[in-house]
Amino acid sequence: MASIGKIARRTFLIGTAAIVGGAAFGAWYITKPAPNPLKPQDGETALNPFVLIDAEGITLVSPHAEMGQGTETTWAALIAEELDVTLDQVRIIHGPPAQAYYNSAMMGAAVEGYDASSFQRSMGEVLGLLGKVFSMQVTGGSTAMKDGYERMRVVGAATREMLVAAAADRLKVDPSELVTDKGQVIAPDGTKIPYTKLAAKAAEMEPPHTELRPREEWKILGHRMTRRDVPAKTTGTATFAIDTRLPGQKFAALRLSPTRAAIREYDAFEVSRMPGVEKVVDLGDGLAVIANNTWVAQNAVNQIPVTWEEAAYLADDAAITQALEAGFAQEPDSMLRDDGDVSKLPEGTTRIEAEYRVPFLSHAPMEPQSANAWFDGGKLRIWTGSQMPVFAQRVAADEAGLDVEDVEFNVTYLGGGFGRRGEVDFTRYATRIAKEMPGSPVLLTYSREEDMTHDFFRPAAIARFAGAVKDGGAVMLDARVSSPPLLGPAIERAAGFAPGGPDASITEGTHNQPYAIANYRAQGFAVPGLPPVGFWRSVGNSFNGFFMESFMDEMAHAAGADPLQFRMDLTRDEFLPAWEVLNAVKEMSGWTGETAEGVGRGVAMCYSFGTPVAMVIEVRDVAKRPAEGSDPATHKPLIRISNAWIAADPGVALNPDNIEAQLVGGMVYGLSAAIGEEITFSQGAAQQLNFPDYEPLRISQMPKTQVRILEIQEHLGGVGEVGTPPAAPALANALFDLTGERYRSLPLKKVLDFYV
C-alpha cells in the first residue's frame, strides 16, 4: 500500500460506542467499513474489529491464522506500536469469520511484481479491496504483514488519539499537552490515567487528525520481540483443534476412498457392534465411525470390509507422466512473459536445452486434519484450524442446512498449515458426521495415513527449458512448464466459484524473475485429469524455483561464467535488491568460485511474494575415500549438507527474529522435498502413508545456517514462504559442483545417499 501521511478522521475510523465496563475501538482503511463482527454480550452495546478495551485490559484481534509462522505476534505489534502499549500488556485473539477481516493484500499481489510501476501498485490496492466483496479472510500467499502493515498501525494511532482526547476532556487541557506510554495517558504534572479508565469516554470522541510515526521512533517493530504463542506451545497448554474437549465429547475417525471415488459396497454390521462404537456413518465417498475415543474409532473404521469405485483421474505414475509430457503439445494456458523474440538469436550464441521433473508432494503437517463439530439441529459450533474461515463457515452452513449466522466458527491454533488448511474438506466431513450425533460434540481426527493419502497435493510438473548465451551472459531464455491446473480447482473447492484466465501458478517463479534477458518467454501448459492439487508452501515457486535456478546454473557454465557472478550481472540493472541479496551471500559464504576436493557449493536466487532471496548451499562427500590405486568409479558419495547462507530483502524487517526463523524453516521445507519426499500413485491411490515413506529432513542433516536480512527495496514483501524456492536448486547446483553431474529430477534420494 502506498505510504499514508495523514489519517482522515472519517476514512479510517469505524464507529465506536461505549460498553459496560469499557469501550471498543477499530479502524479501517476503506470508505465504507464492513459490519463489525464482534457481538456485544452482557449488556455491552458495541464492539469493533481489532481493538477492545474494557475493565480487564486491552485485547487485540488478529484475523490471520497462527500456524507457527508468528503472524499473531507481529500483527499485534503493528497495533501496539502506535497504540503505545507493550505486547505483554495485551491479550491476542483470533477474530471470527467476517467480511471485516478480509485480506487487503491477497488479490492485489497478482499485479505487484518486482518491476511494477506506481500505477500498477495503485491498481493492486484497488484490487485488494475486492477481497472485501468476496470476504476473503485468508491466511496465505505470504500476505499477512502486507495486509496489516499500514492499516493496523492506523488502528493503533486512531485509538490512541481518541484516548488522548478523552483524557484531555477529563483534565481540561489541550491534547497536545498529553503523552502516552505503556497503556496510559500522562499529563504534564505527572498524572497518569490508564486506557481502561478512558475507554467509555473515548468512544464518544471524534478521531482527530494524526500521523503514523516514522521508523526511527519505533519501540516494538524492527526489534527483538517474544513470540506470544511460544510459551503455551512449549508447555503443552496451547489449544489446537485436536486438543479441544467439550462436555459429552464423542470422537470420530474416517476412511475415505483411496481413489476419491464413491463406495461400491460395504458391510459395517460387525464393526457397529464393537465395544465403544456408537455409530457408523456413510459419507458417500468414505466411511466414518463415531466412538468413545479416537483409537477405537480409527481401529473400527479400518476393519469395515469395503470396495470402492475406480478413480476419475489417471491412476498410476506412468499414465500421469505420459499426460504431462503430452501437455506440451497443447495450446499454452498462459504466456505471462514474452520479451523480445526467442526464435531469433544473434550470431555466435551457444544454445542449451534441459528438462526437469518434480513429483507430487504432500503437505504433511504435524497435526493431521481435525475439527470438532457440535450440531443441535438449529445451531452448529465448530472448532478447527482454518486458513480460510469465512469459506469454511459457509461450507459448514451449507452441509448442515443452516444459515451462516447459525454457525459459530472458532479458529484454533493450527498444527501446521502450508496451504493444506486452506481447504474445506475436513470441515465438511466434520459437519456431516456431527449431524448424525445431534446434541453431542464430535471431534473428527484424520489418521496420518488418511491425511497423507487424501491431501490436495503440490502438483507434479515437467519443465523444458531452452537458453542461449554469448560473451559470458544470457541472451535468451524460453521456459515451458507442464502441470495440472491449481488456482481454479482450489478456489472453486473453497469459495464455490472458479476465476477465469490463465493459471499463473504453473509458471510463477519462472515468468517473474528479475533477470535482464532480452529474449525471455515463459509458457504454462495446464494438464487436466490428474490427482487433485492445492496450495503448497510457495505454490508454483516451489517447483519453478528448482527449474529456473537449475537452468540459470547450466547457462552460467555454458557461458564459462561463475554462477554467482552470472546472476549478479543479470540483476544489477534489472532489480537492485536481487543483486544485493546475491552480493550478501557472496560475502557471507566467502564465495570464490573455487571449492576444495570433496566440497561443492551451489547458489540460487528466487523472487517470490515480493521478496528476493539468495541462498548458497555447501555439501561435502563424507564417504570413506577409495583406497589408493582402486578404481575411482567405484566410489559412491555420501552427501552431507554442511553449511547454508541465506539473504533476503523483505523491504521492512518488522520482526527480525521471526523473519530469520521463517527463512530457515522455509529452507528446511524445501530441502526436505528436494531430498526425500514424493507422492506416487498406483491404481488411483497414493502410495506413501506416513513419515517412514515420506521423510523430511532430520535434525542430524541440518546444516549450519547463517541469515542476513536486508532492507533495501521500497515495498514490503512476504516472508513465510520465500525461503522454500531456492533450497532445491541451490542444493542441486552444489551437487553438480561436487560431482560434475546434473540432477534434474527430484527427489534426490533416488540417485544419491545422504548422511543421516
Side-chain angles (χ1 to χ4, degrees), residues 64-391:
H64 291 286
E66 177 55 69
M67 48 190 167
Q69 83 281 37
T71 287
E72 179 184 78
T73 299
T74 313
W75 185 274
L78 290 167
I79 305 172
E81 183 65 67
E82 291 286 348
L83 186 57
D84 261 347
V85 294
T86 59
L87 286 178
D88 59 4
Q89 289 182 292
V90 302
R91 300 182 296 268
I92 307 172
I93 63 172
H94 191 289
Q99 184 186 51
Y101 296 136
Y102 78 94
N103 186 331
S104 66
M106 178 63 70
M107 297 186 74
V111 297
E112 295 182 4
Y114 73 90
D115 56 349
S117 66
S118 297
F119 174 76
Q120 288 173 309
R121 293 188 182 277
S122 296
M123 287 301 298
E125 293 176 28
V126 173
L127 286 173
L129 297 180
L130 291 177
K132 176 189 170 186
V133 177
F134 299 109
S135 297
M136 292 188 67
Q137 184 181 353
V138 177
T139 304
S142 297
T143 57
M145 292 305 105
K146 288 190 281 188
D147 175 32
Y149 179 54
E150 293 284 0
R151 60 195 185 106
M152 288 307 102
R153 289 187 295 142
V154 167
V155 166
T159 305
R160 182 194 72 233
E161 292 307 310
M162 291 178 67
L163 290 161
V164 168
D169 181 77
R170 175 183 293 192
L171 298 172
K172 308 304 179 187
V173 299
D174 190 275
S176 64
E177 299 180 44
L178 304 175
V179 296
T180 55
D181 185 49
K182 297 179 181 177
Q184 301 176 106
V185 179
I186 305 171
D189 63 2
T191 300
K192 297 180 180 180
I193 309 176
Y195 288 172
T196 54
K197 302 295 185 183
L198 296 167
K201 183 64 178 178
E204 303 171 5
M205 297 291 174
E206 284 287 322
H209 294 287
T210 188
E211 293 184 355
L212 297 180
R213 291 172 173 168
R215 289 183 60 180
E216 54 267 23
E217 295 182 12
W218 286 354
K219 300 175 183 177
I220 303 173
L221 297 173
H223 301 281
R224 181 182 295 271
M225 60 184 82
T226 301
R227 282 266 299 267
R228 291 295 302 272
D229 56 321
V230 168
K233 289 177 177 178
T234 53
T235 57
T237 57
T239 300
F240 299 83
I242 202 170
D243 300 318
T244 54
R245 297 293 184 272
L246 302 167
Q249 185 72 64
K250 308 294 183 183
F251 301 85
L254 49 64
R255 181 180 169 196
L256 298 172
S257 167
T259 59
R260 304 196 187 230
I263 297 172
R264 184 174 295 168
E265 60 181 356
Y266 70 96
D267 182 359
F269 180 74
E270 293 297 333
V271 165
S272 65
R273 302 169 64 189
M274 291 175 61
V277 171
E278 302 200 16
K279 192 165 189 176
V280 176
V281 181
D282 185 339
L283 300 172
D285 58 350
L287 298 167
V289 167
I290 303 172
N292 59 9
N293 68 58
T294 298
W295 169 246
V296 169
Q298 289 186 347
N299 184 51
V301 77
N302 287 333
Q303 293 191 40
I304 300 174
V306 59
T307 56
W308 314 96
E309 299 292 347
E310 294 183 357
Y313 49 80
L314 295 176
D316 57 59
D317 292 338
I320 290 169
T321 299
Q322 185 177 17
L324 289 172
E325 292 172 340
F328 291 107
Q330 307 175 166
E331 285 296 313
D333 171 75
S334 67
M335 186 161 61
L336 298 177
R337 188 157 183 168
D338 189 18
D339 298 344
D341 187 342
V342 298
S343 66
K344 295 180 180 179
L345 300 177
E347 293 183 4
T349 61
T350 300
R351 181 183 173 91
I352 61 170
E353 296 181 354
E355 181 177 279
Y356 306 93
R357 298 179 180 227
V358 296
F360 291 99
L361 295 174
S362 175
H363 296 81
M366 290 304 297
E367 180 194 18
Q369 307 314 301
S370 55
N372 206 344
W374 194 344
F375 179 71
D376 65 8
K379 299 284 184 181
L380 174 67
R381 287 175 283 175
I382 293 179
W383 290 260
T384 191
S386 176
Q387 293 177 246
M388 295 188 181
V390 169
F391 297 153

Side-chain angles (χ1 to χ4, degrees), residues 501-512:
D503 192 327
S505 72
I506 295 176
T507 58
E508 69 173 342
T510 295
H511 71 254
N512 56 347

